[in-house]
Amino acid sequence: MTVSGPGTPEPRPATSGASSVEQLRKEGNELFKCGDYEGALGAYTQALGLDATPQDQAILHRNRAACHLKLEDYDKAETEASKAIEKDGGDVKALYRRSQALEKLGRLDQAVLDLQRCVSLEPKNKVFQEALRNIGGQIQEKVRYMSSTDAKVEQMFQILLDPEEKGTEKKQKASQNLVVLAREDAGAEKIFRSNGVQLLQRLLDTGETDLMLAALRTLVGICSEHQSRTVATLSILGTRRVVSILGMENQAVSLAACHLLQVMFDALKEGVKKGFQGKEGAIIVDPARELKVLISNLLDLLTEVGVSGQGRDNALTLLIKAVPRKSLKDPNNSLTLWVIDQGLKKILEVGGSLQDPPGELAVTANSRMSASILLSKLFDDLKCDAERENFHRLCENYIKSWFEGQGLAGKLRAIQTVSCLLQGPCDAGNRALELSGVMESVIALCASEQEEEQLVAVEALIHAAGKAKRASFITANGVSLLKDLYKRSEKDSIRIRALVGLCKLGSAGGTDFSMKQFAEGSTLKLAKQCRKWLCNDQIDAGTRRWAVEGLAYLTFDADVKEEFVEDAAALKALFQLSRSEERSVLFAVASALVNCTNSYDYEEPDPKMVELAKYAKQHVPEQHPKDKPSFVRARVKKLLAAGVVSAMACMVKTESPVLTSSCRELLSRVFLALVEEVEDRGTVVAQGGGRALIPLALEGTDVGQTKAAQALAKLTITSNPEMTFPGERIYEVVRPLVSLLHLNCSGLQNFEALMALTNLAGISERLRQKILKEKAVPMIEGYMFEEHEMIRRAATECMCNLAMSKEVQDLFEAQGNDRLKLLVLYSGEDDELLQRAAAGGLAMLTSMRPTLCSRIPQVTTHWLEILQALLLSSNQELQHRGAVVVLNMVEASRQIASTLMESEMMEILSVLAKGDQSPVTRAAAACLDKAVEYGLIQPNQDGE
């Protein structure tokens, strides 16, 4: 018996009563042969849903395993093969496929058992014998590696735990080697099995910073993507002990602990992705329980006295990443509901804590913003009104508990908590403002003589002013109060906040020039004062942040934008502040830049609708004269000259919850505006823009990812991709570009993505494989039928470059498709650029796959006219491509050569062969020489 390869689905004779199953299986087999593995998978799955016999089910399951192997989903390939083996324990094909999946998953000990079974069933099968030899060699290599590291691990721990070696270079090198060893899965397993976790615990207990960092970083390697080792590590160290390290004053140790906990969360959530999976079941009972224990300890840490402010921020960051659902398509939000019930009050306690004067809980300038973001994400993760009502009730009860009967200190705490909610889930904040006495207390405390009381009240007023529901109330009741505070207060911290409140109210009309809230020139005066405070480095960063908040609102006004970009000192101060520890300024900076570059969404109103609105005496938004494209381009150039790209690149690198999806979207919008002009793209690349755009295109809102991907496409089209995205970074660009091929993107985005992918596909086979892996080929083929000639041409050019890959050649060679016909027909189109792309693809394919030459005459009756037209073209490039196609056809078959020589083609080739020496002349001469060799034509007396 001969075994099909791992990627070959098996046919089977039809059985009575199973014609539909057989039909679907055949359909799946054809799709598989054409390279449509997803389609084949769907057909086999559909067949399984019918009344299939056990034998049919076994075949379908192992065919599905073959699809998963091709799609590189080895976990599912193993599962499907196992299902086939359950039906028939002697199914040699399923055993072979499972062994391949297990090998890819790194579970060599299990893979070898399946192969040994295969060899015992078919002792003479050379495929099995060779596979068994290969896997045996891999196992021996792994054993050798593990043995050689035994002594090294023991020696490293001896050095690190030796009190005599304190602070020596030897100790430093040992710690570095341990961390490096743990990065490899085999090394991590060796450390783990050598009682490494217990020894690392001793390093943590020393309290020495270097040793603690080495231990935490080694633990990251041990736990990374490995569920069972993670659970065992938590069991040995104790969850409470690991979480407590997060709260240490040492910032580096706290960050390292944060990284370790993030890795643990990922391992518990995602499960094992590599190695030693077979022993998982014995260790893990319920990963969900371990997750809850970890989260419960993080929630306790939030309100623990003695925990550092940085540690509290890190705990909030972990909760933001770990608790809410990654996608709203996932129906299970039980973890969010559990956190709200168990820890909402603790999160609100952090959000309501004051930095100055220090309270019981140590907080940083970013703590309240982090708490707001966590609250917002929890609220957004709720699915129904009942869940949201419970959230509101818990928040309101907490605020009332402080506001009523706790004196002035309690009222301040309650108002600070309301501010936190207004910055996060504003629906909850607005409801809290409506609680009896809250708004009145805010207004009253604004007039307090105590600075800290005024600060809390004014900030609450500012946050309330940004919400449409309350803006009208504050316009009526708070403007005079804010003006009075701005004019009369002797404290800059109060004046600057009052100014921001006025800025918010003054920008209520947005970009609508006809809807200004204040008198002419007032916004310019407010902006000038904001810039003055922003440039004053004697004021602390926390207070200067409010100046940026003010500018974020005032830059809706085009006059303010023009003055701002002219102020080099203000731009420099803005960019310096964006790089500071004051991370909560990021959104305001990004908002101001969006306004200055006009990169918000704006649609030109229909003139007829404008006239109709005027006739009906309806309000018509007006654009400021200085928001016209020429002014915007000038502002962009000034921002580029001031170093905006490097500042934004630093912002993107920020590992803080403050860099929210909305903030990322704003940065993506600005980047897209900066690369709009071709001549500016070199500056953007030189300042690190290409590197910064990749993470923006991979994470954030859908709109933000699309904008960043389009900016990447523009850079890839007009610059050398290998220089713009050096090293491995170039491969990360492919996925964002492919995302622009979806139908929900605009025609321009489709076109630019195709052009960019064309450039990448022409660089290397590895990049072409990456494009294929992202499943771009079916989408590119779809755009080859697009009505818009530029999109159609770009798709054809892209396919021409991809044709250098074997997989694409296989698609053209497969029976029952019109891919080749389309290229032949496009080679005869009037659009010269489309002709060039299609003819280039034909030349490439006929060179690599001679069998396609015999099919060209079959795809259309006009094939000969098309090739003759190419050879007679005035464009030498088209002539050359046509000549190469004809030469390939002549060399492929004497019959085709005979057909060509019996037509006018021979005269055309004879004329071309006599021309000046060129690639076209040489190709034409080679065609005639081959025809002479076949005996189809005779050379003339001159030997020509």
Side-chain angles (χ1 to χ4, degrees):
M1 175 182 178
T2 303
V3 177
S4 305
T8 312
E10 296 81 0
R12 177 185 174 277
T15 55
S16 58
S19 57
S20 54
V21 173
E22 176 67 16
Q23 189 179 346
L24 283 166
R25 182 169 54 245
K26 284 182 178 177
E27 184 185 322
N29 291 350
E30 286 303 314
L31 289 167
F32 188 96
K33 287 174 188 173
C34 294
D36 185 0
Y37 307 122
E38 294 279 9
L41 202 56
Y44 297 142
T45 305
Q46 206 175 335
L48 277 169
L50 301 175
D51 189 19
T53 64
Q55 189 181 357
D56 282 330
Q57 289 176 18
I59 292 171
L60 290 166
H61 280 304
R62 66 182 182 233
N63 283 3
R64 279 171 57 81
C67 293
H68 286 307
L69 283 169
K70 283 288 187 184
L71 293 168
E72 299 182 15
D73 192 339
Y74 303 116
D75 282 314
K76 287 183 180 175
E78 183 217 347
T79 302
E80 290 296 332
S82 296
K83 286 179 182 176
I85 294 163
E86 283 173 18
K87 304 287 180 187
D88 179 7
D91 189 337
V92 73
K93 298 175 184 178
L95 283 164
Y96 182 61
R97 282 176 192 162
R98 188 168 73 175
S99 75
Q100 291 202 305
L102 290 167
E103 182 184 353
K104 290 291 185 182
L105 291 167
R107 290 149 61 187
L108 304 180
D109 52 341
Q110 292 172 280
V112 79
L113 292 174
D114 280 346
L115 278 174
Q116 285 170 347
R117 177 80 174 133
C118 289
V119 171
S120 69
L121 290 168
E122 293 189 14
K124 294 182 181 179
N125 191 304
K126 292 182 179 179
V127 174
F128 296 157
Q129 291 170 2
E130 184 63 28
L132 190 58
R133 273 196 298 275
N134 288 340
I135 209 163
Q138 289 181 53
I139 289 172
Q140 286 176 5
E141 184 61 34
K142 193 168 184 178
V143 168
R144 274 199 301 273
Y145 175 77
M146 299 288 272
S147 301
S148 67
T149 54
D150 274 354
K152 289 180 185 175
V153 170
E154 191 177 338
Q155 187 182 16
M156 281 185 264
F157 276 117
Q158 279 179 355
I159 294 168
L160 290 170
L161 293 168
D162 185 353
E164 300 297 321
E165 294 283 357
K166 191 170 183 178
T168 64
E169 187 180 334
K170 199 173 178 183
K171 204 166 195 172
Q172 189 178 10
K173 191 173 181 181
S175 65
Q176 288 172 350
N177 289 340
L178 195 64
V179 173
V180 171
L181 183 64
R183 286 177 189 156
E184 294 294 328
D185 190 68
E189 182 68 12
K190 185 71 246 170
I191 295 169
F192 180 74
R193 291 183 180 279
S194 303
N195 291 325
V197 178
Q198 288 90 335
L199 295 169
L200 290 168
Q201 185 175 24
R202 288 173 60 188
L203 292 181
L204 290 172
D205 291 340
T206 63
E208 291 181 35
T209 299
D210 290 343
L211 293 182
M212 291 186 78
L213 289 173
L216 291 167
R217 289 165 184 164
T218 305
L219 285 166
V220 166
I222 289 172
C223 297
S224 184
E225 297 182 342
H226 207 296
Q227 203 175 61
S228 62
R229 290 201 298 248
T230 298
V231 175
T233 299
L234 285 169
S235 175
I236 294 165
L237 296 179
T239 306
R240 183 71 198 143
R241 169 80 172 106
V242 178
V243 172
S244 68
I245 299 170
L246 196 67
M248 291 183 66
E249 286 291 344
N250 187 300
Q251 196 171 14
V253 172
S254 180
L255 280 171
C258 182
H259 185 205
L260 171 60
L261 286 164
Q262 181 62 59
V263 165
M264 287 177 160
F265 272 122
D266 292 341
L268 290 172
K269 277 189 157 186
E270 304 298 330
V272 177
K273 289 183 181 176
K274 58 181 183 182
F276 307 97
Q277 194 177 23
K279 303 176 181 68
E280 291 283 321
I283 296 173
I284 293 179
V285 179
D286 182 10
R289 179 186 166 280
E290 300 295 336
L291 267 175
K292 284 188 175 180
V293 170
L294 250 184
I295 290 170
S296 178
N297 276 278
L298 283 174
L299 290 170
D300 290 343
L301 188 81
L302 292 180
T303 53
E304 243 178 64
V305 178
V307 171
S308 68
Q310 177 71 36
R312 224 176 295 279
D313 288 356
N314 287 335
L316 288 166
T317 302
L318 286 166
L319 290 167
I320 288 167
K321 291 179 179 178
V323 177
R325 291 172 289 171
K326 297 288 183 189
S327 167
L328 294 180
K329 293 177 183 177
D330 177 6
N332 184 9
N333 70 340
S334 59
L335 195 56
T336 294
L337 297 176
W338 181 80
V339 167
I340 288 171
D341 287 339
Q342 301 294 316
L344 184 61
K345 289 181 181 178
K346 294 172 183 177
I347 300 165
L348 290 171
E349 196 167 334
V350 177
S353 295
L354 299 173
Q355 187 183 5
D356 294 311
E360 280 190 0
L361 301 183
V363 291
T364 69
N366 301 315
S367 298
R368 191 172 72 193
M369 180 60 78
S370 296
S372 295
I373 292 165
L374 176 55
L375 290 166
S376 180
K377 285 190 173 288
L378 292 173
F379 187 77
D380 291 342
D381 205 36
L382 300 177
K383 295 192 296 185
C384 63
D385 289 342
E387 291 175 359
R388 284 184 276 273
E389 192 58 41
N390 178 57
F391 186 95
H392 289 312
R393 181 180 55 77
L394 290 170
C395 289
E396 287 165 16
N397 288 344
Y398 177 83
I399 290 165
K400 284 178 186 175
S401 71
W402 280 103
F403 194 77
E404 298 167 0
Q406 297 282 347
L408 183 57
K411 283 185 168 56
L412 285 172
R413 187 67 178 258
I415 293 169
Q416 185 82 331
T417 307
V418 171
S419 286
C420 178
L421 287 168
L422 286 167
Q423 287 178 280
C426 55
D427 286 348
N430 276 322
R431 278 189 49 163
L433 275 176
E434 292 166 10
L435 292 173
S436 176
V438 172
M439 200 65 201
E440 291 76 8
S441 294
V442 171
I443 299 291
L445 285 168
C446 282
S448 170
E449 293 182 4
Q450 297 296 319
E451 184 178 1
E452 58 270 16
E453 294 171 9
Q454 268 191 310
L455 284 173
V456 170
V458 173
E459 283 186 24
L461 196 62
I462 292 167
H463 296 311
K467 312 303 167 190
K469 198 170 183 180
R470 280 277 156 187
S472 56
F473 171 86
I474 294 164
T475 303
N477 299 280
V479 171
S480 57
L481 176 62
L482 289 169
K483 283 183 177 178
D484 191 56
L485 284 170
Y486 174 59
K487 290 176 182 176
R488 298 179 187 279
S489 179
E490 296 177 0
K491 303 177 185 75
D492 280 346
S493 58
I494 299 297
R495 293 187 67 217
I496 198 168
R497 285 165 173 79
L499 177 63
V500 172
L502 292 170
C503 292
K504 277 195 173 186
L505 295 170
S507 65
T511 56
D512 185 354
F513 182 49
S514 63
M515 289 275 291
K516 295 304 166 190
Q517 302 294 307
F518 293 156
E520 187 71 30
S522 294
T523 51
L524 285 172
K525 288 177 184 176
L526 292 172
K528 187 175 181 180
Q529 185 59 53
C530 280
R531 297 202 310 274
K532 181 180 174 184
W533 271 319
L534 174 61
C535 295
N536 186 351
D537 53 14
Q538 300 301 311
I539 301 174
D540 66 278
T543 303
R544 289 165 67 207
R545 169 178 76 86
W546 288 98
V548 183
E549 291 271 356
L551 287 168
Y553 287 96
L554 292 175
T555 45
F556 280 122
D557 188 311
D559 288 317
V560 174
K561 301 177 197 181
E562 288 295 312
E563 284 196 2
F564 186 35
V565 297
E566 291 290 348
D567 191 337
L571 289 176
K572 184 180 177 183
L574 180 77
F575 299 153
Q576 284 177 343
L577 194 59
S578 72
R579 294 183 175 99
S580 72
E581 292 298 315
E582 185 62 46
R583 310 318 291 160
S584 51
V585 77
L586 295 184
F587 191 86
V589 172
S591 299
L593 292 174
V594 165
N595 293 340
C596 288
T597 56
N598 281 36
S599 46
Y600 39 72
D601 292 325
Y602 174 77
E603 286 186 21
E604 198 72 40
D606 183 343
K608 290 181 180 178
M609 295 302 293
V610 170
E611 289 301 317
L612 190 62
K614 285 180 179 176
Y615 180 77
K617 295 183 179 179
Q618 296 293 315
H619 172 69
V620 180
E622 294 178 25
Q623 188 182 36
H624 197 292
K626 291 181 181 177
D627 271 333
K628 289 181 178 175
S630 58
F631 284 92
V632 176
R633 283 196 294 273
R635 289 201 293 266
V636 165
K637 298 213 178 280
K638 286 167 187 172
L639 287 169
L640 285 168
V644 66
V645 176
S646 55
M648 287 170 62
C650 288
M651 290 166 71
V652 172
K653 289 178 188 173
T654 302
E655 291 186 10
S656 166
V658 176
L659 190 68
T660 59
S661 296
S662 302
C663 189
R664 285 172 172 273
E665 181 185 318
L666 295 178
L667 293 172
S668 298
R669 287 176 179 277
V670 178
F671 267 121
L672 184 56
L674 296 177
V675 299
E676 192 61 42
E677 298 294 321
V678 175
E679 62 266 28
D680 294 334
R681 294 174 192 172
T683 306
V684 172
V685 171
Q687 293 183 12
R691 184 170 61 250
L693 274 166
I694 294 172
L696 291 176
L698 294 172
E699 187 181 345
T701 64
D702 290 341
V703 172
Q705 286 180 287
T706 302
K707 301 276 185 192
Q710 190 178 1
L712 282 172
K714 288 178 185 290
L715 293 179
T716 309
I717 292 168
T718 54
S719 60
N720 181 347
E722 291 177 288
M723 294 181 68
T724 307
F725 312 105
E728 294 296 305
R729 204 169 283 129
I730 193 169
Y731 302 101
E732 296 178 50
V733 177
V734 174
R735 181 171 295 171
L737 294 179
V738 172
S739 72
L740 293 177
L741 297 180
H742 292 289
L743 294 174
N744 57 349
C745 294
S746 67
L748 177 62
Q749 289 167 341
N750 298 152
F751 172 72
E752 289 179 331
L754 289 165
M755 292 285 285
L757 287 168
T758 301
N759 277 2
L760 293 179
I763 291 173
S764 71
E765 178 59 24
R766 189 179 166 195
L767 270 168
R768 288 191 287 276
Q769 288 299 320
K770 178 66 176 171
I771 294 169
L772 293 174
K773 192 174 179 180
E774 294 296 335
K775 301 172 186 171
V777 171
M779 290 184 274
I780 295 167
E781 285 184 324
Y783 285 114
M784 288 175 72
F785 293 94
E786 176 67 40
E787 286 184 20
H788 196 291
E789 62 179 23
M790 291 177 72
I791 295 177
R792 185 168 68 240
R793 183 196 307 151
T796 308
E797 287 174 351
C798 190
M799 188 58 72
C800 173
N801 280 0
L802 286 171
M804 289 185 271
S805 287
K806 175 184 176 297
E807 288 80 0
V808 176
Q809 294 162 19
D810 289 342
L811 292 176
F812 276 89
E813 204 169 31
Q815 295 294 326
N817 70 77
D818 291 331
R819 294 183 178 95
L820 185 64
K821 180 180 180 178
L822 188 64
L823 279 188
V824 175
L825 292 174
Y826 278 177
S827 297
E829 283 284 311
D830 293 334
D831 180 348
E832 197 171 271
L833 292 172
L834 178 60
Q835 265 189 301
R836 188 183 68 178
L842 267 183
M844 175 76 63
L845 287 163
T846 51
S847 296
M848 306 298 289
R849 296 294 171 97
T851 53
L852 291 173
C853 296
S854 60
R855 286 174 50 190
I856 288 177
Q858 299 167 14
V859 296
T860 173
T861 55
H862 301 291
W863 69 276
L864 202 51
E865 298 167 36
I866 291 168
L867 291 177
Q868 288 172 356
L870 286 174
L871 291 175
L872 292 170
S873 172
S874 58
N875 184 316
Q876 277 210 335
E877 200 171 353
L878 277 178
Q879 271 191 325
H880 181 230
R881 293 180 183 206
V884 170
V885 174
V886 172
L887 176 58
N888 291 338
M889 292 177 74
V890 168
E891 289 181 338
S893 160
R894 186 181 187 281
Q895 185 181 348
I896 299 173
S898 175
T899 306
L900 288 166
M901 293 305 142
E902 288 169 4
S903 70
E904 294 175 6
M905 186 67 75
M906 190 180 82
E907 294 176 32
I908 296 169
L909 290 170
S910 300
V911 172
L912 290 174
K914 292 175 183 175
D916 295 334
Q917 275 297 314
S918 70
V920 176
T921 308
R922 289 192 289 274
C927 288
L928 295 172
D929 289 344
K930 193 67 181 177
V932 170
E933 186 184 320
Y934 284 142
L936 298 172
I937 60 173
Q938 296 291 326
N940 60 24
Q941 291 179 348
D942 299 330
E944 295 181 353

